[in-house]
Each structure stands twice: as structure tokens, then as C-alpha cells.
């Protein structure tokens, strides 16, 4: 099994850059990217090996490579993708930080347990004296991830934030699905406002909120759509050309003149409707 960290796919960016590709070319491109990710960010620049990865014959691979080669950099005997390398390094750094945070937390817990055991064995209370429990004031954080993707700002905006690795993973999956950090942060703020009337125990923790896709229940408020001049003209033209009753004062003279000038109604029809 690969030790590569979780690979994010920025759907919006991907589609913007690849809309010209065929389905077959999309498949080959993604297979190469995913294999490159699992191999540490680069692959041998060997047409036969790349063709096998893409599941194509040598001849077919040659034609597909002509279309997707623009996304890769050939450096000697290896090929790379600049965006993938950047994301791989960022994901690897996060993974290492998580491991370090977990190691520190485990050591702190072990020291606490050892010290507590020693105190229980050696510090017997005197008669009438209450034993004081060992209090560990060291700070144990579940994650030491950087705020380069807006996650910390999201936690600050959420009414019941809880920083966990599951929450971080759900955050990354939400971004990979095409949502932006700003969308999620704004939804968290709306949830914070709405949850002011909730029973405190009913307010979801931030990691569960992300896992359950609760942002879908906090859509932005709808704004009134501004009706344009063209839409008004089309509406009145349909009214004049239709069969429903229309009183002479229901459409202004200037509007009638505009409709005639744009050839949306005829003068004859205007007279028939008693608007001339």
C-alpha cells in the first residue's frame, strides 16, 4: 500500500484546464497523475511504461500524449507535473506535522500516567489529609496544521469548533468537491447565527458538521433578481401580442413607441389592442 498522503483534486481548476480533452484523454491524464502521486511526484519518462499506466497500446499512447503532454514537464529521464509536486509537498508536510503532533501527545500522556502511578505508590496521604490529583497543564493539540487553506478561519467562525484529524480530512474532501474555503467559512458564520436559538447540546461540532455536509442546510440568502430593460420589453411585447385583456393605460405611450421601434410589435397590432 502506498504511503503517499491524501491527494486533493481541485475540480474547478481541473475542468477549466482540460475541457478540450476527450474522455479517453481524461482517463489517461488522471491515471498518470494518480500514479505519479503514489510514486512521490514523478515518473520515468518511458513511453512504454506510461502507456501501461494509462492502459493504452503504444500507438494509441503516442496520439494521446500529443494532447496531454502540455500538462507535464520532461526533465531528463523523468516527467513531473508542477502543480502536483507543489500539492504533494504540502500534503507531505501536513502528514509529518500530524505525526509529530501525535507523537508529542502520546509521550505527554505516557509521562502523565507514569507520574500519576509513582505518586499513588509513594505519596500516601496522612490522616485527615486529602491527596491532590496530578494536574497536567501541558497543552495537547490534535493537529498542528498550517492555515494556508482557510481551515483555521473556518474553525474560528464555527460556533462549536473542534480541531480533529477527521475534521481536517472532511474539510479537504469538501474543497476537493469544488467548494471554496470562503463558501464554507460563510456557511459556518450563518450556522453560528442560526444556532444562537438552539439548545447548546444540539449545536454540532465543526468536524461532524463538515462530515454531514451541513453547509447544504445553510445556503446564502436569496437576493431579489433585478429585472432588466430587455426582459420588461419582452414581457410587454408578449402582452400586446397576446389575447388577454389590456387596458389603454396599462402600458405607457413611450413603452409602446419603444416596442414598435424595436419591431417587437406592429403598429397595426397596437391599434387593434387600443393602445395607439
Amino acid at each position: 500500500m502506498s504511503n503517499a498522503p491524501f491527494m486533493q483534486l481541485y475540480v474547478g481548476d481541473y475542468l477549466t484546464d482540460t475541457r478540450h480533452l476527450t474522455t479517453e484523454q481524461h482517463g489517461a491524464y488522471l491515471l498518470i497523475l494518480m500514479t505519479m502521486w503514489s510514486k512521490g511526484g514523478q515518473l520515468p519518462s518511458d513511453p512504454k511504461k506510461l502507456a501501461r499506466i494509462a492502459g493504452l497500446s503504444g500507438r494509441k499512447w503516442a496520439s494521446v500524449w500529443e494532447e496531454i503532454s502540455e500538462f507535464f514537464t520532461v526533465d531528463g529521464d523523468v516527467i513531473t507535473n508542477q502543480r502536483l509536486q507543489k500539492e504533494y509537498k504540502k500534503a507531505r508536510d501536513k502528514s509529518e506535522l500530524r505525526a509529530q503532533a501525535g507523537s508529542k501527545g502520546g509521550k505527554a500522556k505516557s509521562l502523565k500516567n507514569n507520574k500519576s502511578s509513582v505518586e499513588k505508590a509513594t505519596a500516601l496521604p496522612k490522616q485527615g489529609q486529602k491527596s491532590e490529583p496530578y494536574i497536567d497543564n501541558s497543552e495537547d493539540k490534535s493537529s498542528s496544521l498550517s492555515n494556508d487553506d482557510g481551515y483555521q478561519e473556518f474553525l474560528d467562525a464555527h460556533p462549536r469548533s473542534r480541531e480533529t484529524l477527521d475534521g481536517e480530512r472532511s474539510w479537504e474532501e469538501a474543497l476537493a468537491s469544488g467548494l471554496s474555503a470562503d463558501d464554507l467559512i460563510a456557511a459556518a458564520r450563518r450556522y453560528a447565527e442560526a444556532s444562537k436559538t438552539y439548545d447548546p447540546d444540539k449545536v454540532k461540532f465543526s468536524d461532524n458538521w463538515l462530515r454531514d455536509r451541513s453547509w447544504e442546510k445553510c445556503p446564502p440568502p436569496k437576493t431579489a433578481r433585478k429585472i432588466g430593460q430587455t426582459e420588461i420589453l419582452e414581457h410587454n411585447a408578449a402582452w400586446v401580442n397576446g389575447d388577454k385583456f389590456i387596458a389603454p393605460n396599462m402600458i405607457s405611450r413611450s413603452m409602446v413607441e419603444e416596442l414598435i421601434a424595436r419591431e417587437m410589435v406592429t403598429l397595426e397590432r397596437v391599434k387593434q389592442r387600443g393602445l395607439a
Side-chain angles (χ1 to χ4, degrees):
M1 180 179 293
S2 171
N3 292 322
F6 171 74
M7 175 181 173
Q8 288 194 108
L9 176 63
Y10 296 88
V11 178
D13 292 347
Y14 177 85
L15 292 177
T16 299
D17 294 339
T18 62
R19 291 300 294 173
H20 62 288
L21 298 182
T22 66
T23 300
E24 185 176 53
Q25 291 161 1
H26 274 293
Y29 180 35
L30 287 171
L31 285 170
I32 295 296
L33 283 181
M34 288 186 287
T35 305
M36 184 177 289
W37 180 274
S38 68
K39 298 298 183 182
Q42 63 182 30
L43 288 173
S45 181
D46 184 335
K48 291 183 179 180
K49 291 182 179 180
L50 295 175
R52 284 199 298 271
I53 292 171
L56 298 172
S57 66
R59 179 178 299 179
K60 193 64 179 177
W61 168 251
S63 63
V64 169
W65 177 247
E66 288 183 4
E67 294 297 327
I68 68 173
S69 60
E70 62 177 299
F71 302 113
F72 297 99
T73 300
V74 179
D75 185 8
D77 58 352
V78 299
I79 65 168
T80 60
N81 175 282
Q82 291 184 354
R83 175 69 179 271
L84 182 141
Q85 281 196 320
K86 178 181 177 182
E87 293 299 327
Y88 186 89
K89 183 180 183 304
K90 184 169 69 173
R92 177 63 73 185
D93 290 344
K94 284 186 177 182
S95 181
E96 291 176 357
L97 286 172
R98 288 174 182 169
Q100 292 172 10
S103 176
K104 290 178 181 178
K107 290 179 181 177
K109 184 176 181 180
S110 177
L111 289 172
K112 176 181 177 181
N113 291 339
N114 289 339
K115 186 171 182 179
S116 179
S117 298
V118 171
E119 287 180 344
K120 287 180 180 178
T122 60
L124 297 177
K126 297 179 180 179
Q127 184 176 2
Q129 178 184 3
K130 293 183 179 180
S131 59
E132 295 295 330
Y134 171 68
I135 300 175
D136 183 8
N137 292 320
S138 63
E139 192 173 342
D140 181 16
K141 295 184 178 180
S142 62
S143 175
S144 301
L145 303 180
S146 62
N147 187 33
D148 59 355
D149 61 357
Y151 184 55
Q152 188 59 54
E153 187 176 351
F154 162 79
L155 291 175
D156 293 340
H158 199 279
R160 202 176 186 189
S161 63
R162 180 167 64 181
E163 190 171 356
T164 65
L165 294 182
D166 284 340
E168 175 76 11
R169 193 155 35 242
S170 296
W171 169 266
E172 292 174 351
E173 290 173 356
L175 294 181
S177 72
L179 288 171
S180 71
D182 289 340
D183 290 337
L184 291 168
I185 293 168
R189 289 187 178 127
R190 290 192 293 272
Y191 181 65
E193 187 64 28
S195 63
K196 288 180 178 179
T197 59
Y198 297 177
D199 185 318
D201 292 335
K202 299 297 183 182
V203 179
K204 285 188 177 182
F205 282 107
S206 58
D207 50 353
N208 293 336
W209 189 89
L210 286 169
R211 180 201 64 200
D212 297 339
R213 300 177 62 89
S214 296
W215 64 80
E216 295 177 347
K217 299 178 182 178
C218 304
K222 294 183 179 180
T223 56
R225 186 172 64 89
K226 186 177 181 180
I227 300 176
Q229 179 67 12
T230 300
E231 190 172 354
I232 294 173
L233 289 167
E234 290 174 348
H235 173 77
N236 286 325
W239 209 356
V240 174
N241 292 324
D243 298 325
K244 291 183 179 180
F245 170 76
I246 179 171
N249 62 346
M250 293 178 72
I251 299 180
S252 67
R253 179 175 294 277
S254 60
M255 176 60 71
V256 171
E257 293 174 352
E258 183 73 14
L259 292 173
I260 295 174
R262 290 174 178 258
E263 298 183 348
M264 300 176 75
V265 300
T266 64
L267 178 58
E268 181 181 359
R269 183 57 179 169
V270 168
K271 290 179 178 179
Q272 289 175 352
R273 298 287 273 164
L275 299 172

